[in-house]
Amino acid sequence: MAPPNLKDPAERAAYRRELAGVARGVRLSGIILAALGAVLVLLWRRSQLAMPPWLAFAVLGMGLMLMITGIAARTRYHALRMRGG
């Protein structure tokens, strides 16, 4: 596949839409899990939730890892696409 022509506005817009769809589910899942983990940590810190602290931090960590994985996949796709791969 040839690299996109980013000087053409129509092709650039099409490539943006294409790039937005790469690993979208992974990134969104990461954002949701990280937000849920942050809420759990806040509730645990205010002693409003009786749960082990490792669970709240584990959810937060999994969310962050999913976000990083999605960003890395998108970056790799962009690099390969720009090389024409």
Side-chain angles (χ1 to χ4, degrees):
M1 187 180 304
N5 178 14
L6 298 180
K7 295 190 187 285
D8 179 26
E11 229 178 295
R12 185 177 2 170
Y15 181 63
R16 272 190 148 168
R17 285 190 302 275
E18 176 185 340
L19 198 58
V22 174
R24 183 170 190 220
V26 175
R27 287 179 297 156
L28 287 177
S29 307
I31 290 170
I32 291 168
L33 261 181
L36 177 65
V39 168
L40 289 175
V41 168
L42 285 175
L43 289 175
W44 171 74
R45 292 279 293 165
R46 293 183 178 181
S47 300
Q48 295 176 354
L49 190 61
M51 65 181 286
W54 62 266
L55 184 60
F57 288 108
V59 172
L60 180 62
M62 284 189 293
L64 291 174
M65 289 305 293
L66 276 175
M67 285 175 27
I68 291 169
T69 301
I71 291 168
R74 182 178 165 176
T75 303
R76 181 166 169 78
Y77 178 85
H78 174 67
L80 287 172
R81 186 79 161 82
M82 285 296 134
R83 279 191 282 168

